[in-house]
Amino acid sequence: MTTTAAAYGASSATAPLEPLTIERRAVGPHDVRIDIHFCGICHSDIHTVRGDWRPQQYPLVPGHEIVGTVAEVGAEVTGFQPGDQVGVGCMVNSCGECEHCRAGEEQFCVPGAVFTYGSPDKDGTLTQGGYATGIVVTEGFVVRIPEGLALDAAAPLLCAGITTYSPLKRWGAGPGKRVGVIGLGGLGHMAVKIAKAMGAEVVVLSQSLSKKDDGLRLGASDYRATSDKTTFKELAASLDLIINTVSATLPMDRYLGLLKIDGALVNVGLPSEPMAVNAFSLTHARRSLSGSLIGGIRETQEMLDFCAEHGITADIELIDAAQINEAWERVLNSDVRYRFVIDTATLDAAD
Ligand code: NAP
Ligand code: ZN
């Protein structure tokens, strides 16, 4: 039997988000139906709904930082039972057979992963995300939220957490490494916490010093304003790794100049415009410029367990459904400290 969920979504690329009712598919043998309690607001929600990257179909309900409780499981589901605390991130399915799916990197699925919203699902419908009271997801894309993590503050781990954990781990953030984090927003503040927990020394590169106290409290040992030109002189060739979380284009050569020989700048921010790079910034110190896309399901579970072990969650502002449009404006104005999370219990009231 299909179920309905109260949701918040957009009817066009320019319309404000508004209350909607959406249908969720009947629970199949391998499906898990989840009562959503909280959903984080990621900048990608805004890029997608506003059509920054490519045109979309509407109505569209965003949200891919989903946590809740299992309400119902299909007959063949073995890993979850009603009442379990679970999460769903940016993907809800993939082919399961290609080399990347088999390697646990479903984000690189050859025919294409099914993303949590705005993506054609296997049954031909368009996926709808987590700004909603419920969702049905195949069990392989459901992760367990470890005991001890506050559910609301754990929601952002499902995207901001894994998107920063994955490159930090892959590029070896750890003791003896100096890691720069560009942008102290949702992803950036998670990068600071996780890099610090991995044992690295962290330098925040923010537009101004207005959030310096927070940056140091979150685990950075240095915090610099990129609006101050001396930052680029004083920190030249001093970092092993930089994670760029900025949603807009940046003068990449300046930031590449902060890397030591063999250093790497990993882009996770996804501006809609291309960024120029001078080849000399790379060749003359054998630097690399790379990118990273979320992380696989197995690695997402590993990240959640790592965060539970280190007591890491996001710093959040919990909001009601009626505040979603205002929260989006604040994200666009870099006025987020440091992730908005929707209390989905307020969606019913908004309907
Ligand atoms: P966010 O909360 O808005 O944080 C972005 C931060 O970048 C801002 O808080 C701000 O930090 C800085 N910033 C914004 N505009 C800037 C500008 N014009 N110049 C310099 N700095 C600027 O966004 P988010 O949710 O963390 O997402 C960040 C980006 O990552 C988005 O593009 C999103 O789509 C992308 N993303 C990618 C993946 C992936 O898998 N690769 C996953 C999730 C999100 P300061 O105020 O400190 O300067
Ligand atoms: Zn996201």
Side-chain angles (χ1 to χ4, degrees), residues 42 44 64 90 159 339:
C42 176
S44 299
H64 58 206
C90 301
C159 174
R339 202 59 147 179

Side-chain angles (χ1 to χ4, degrees), residues 125-146:
T125 61
L126 191 74
T127 55
Q128 300 287 359
Y131 294 10
T133 52
I135 192 168
V136 176
V137 180
T138 190
E139 70 169 323
F141 287 76
V142 179
V143 289
R144 199 169 282 285
I145 306 295

Side-chain angles (χ1 to χ4, degrees), residues 299-315:
E299 193 176 32
T300 302
Q301 188 64 62
E302 175 189 306
M303 173 277 307
L304 287 165
D305 296 340
F306 174 92
C307 288
E309 192 184 317
H310 292 271
I312 295 175
T313 51
D315 284 25

